[in-house]
Amino acid sequence: MAGKSEVLERRERVVLADDLAGVAEGTPGEVMMHTGMRWLRYWVRFDSGAERGSIHRDKLVKEAEWEDFLTERAAAEAAAEAAAAAGELVGASGSDATDELSEAGDDAGGDVVVNGATVPAHLLTRSASARERLGG
């Protein structure tokens, strides 16, 4: 998968997981060589005839793993959309959203996790108090 720390070997077949200048995502190619000791970059000869160097590993997927990569990326995008939709609850201007978050915070020990970030209960309470003072 993209992002693995696994070293790609010379002549290994790969697919480009992100657009590069002059080379479209999904273009297959062959690793010509890798450079570096701790910070590896790859030189790839793509089937389109283009050759590019200094490509990070997270932009290259082994050809045999390409379909799995696409499936996992689609699932991650769907999860991100669902999280964004749930995050709209936090960004809602009405007091209902805040009340729901405050109640959830009280039930779950105070803190609420929104989009992977923990919001402490005291900040939710402070925010609700400020909205009441300001008439919002």
Side-chain angles (χ1 to χ4, degrees):
M1 306 297 165
K4 280 190 176 178
S5 61
E6 186 179 332
V7 176
L8 298 171
E9 298 300 325
R10 185 171 184 260
R11 297 191 175 220
E12 191 160 4
R13 297 291 301 169
V14 294
V15 178
L16 186 62
D18 204 0
D19 289 334
L20 292 178
V23 185
E25 173 186 323
T27 304
E30 182 178 282
V31 174
M32 296 182 338
M33 64 182 263
H34 60 82
T35 59
M37 296 176 106
R38 291 184 166 220
W39 190 61
L40 292 177
R41 296 292 191 206
Y42 295 91
W43 283 79
V44 179
R45 179 178 294 121
F46 293 99
D47 292 355
S48 64
E51 293 180 2
R52 296 289 182 271
S54 195
I55 303 173
H56 191 270
R57 173 67 172 99
D58 65 1
K59 294 193 183 306
L60 298 171
V61 178
K62 290 182 177 184
E63 200 169 53
E65 299 171 349
W66 179 243
E67 294 301 321
D68 292 337
F69 169 77
L70 292 175
T71 302
E72 286 181 20
R73 183 169 64 178
E77 288 172 357
E81 288 176 14
E88 291 176 7
L89 177 65
V90 174
S93 60
S95 61
D96 293 340
T98 305
D99 293 341
E100 288 177 25
L101 282 177
S102 295
E103 290 170 12
D106 294 339
D107 294 341
D111 297 344
V112 176
V113 177
V114 179
N115 289 340
T118 302
V119 180
H122 74 278
L123 293 180
L124 295 171
T125 304
R126 185 185 303 172
S127 179
S129 299
R131 273 193 298 283
E132 287 176 17
R133 274 195 321 271
L134 297 173

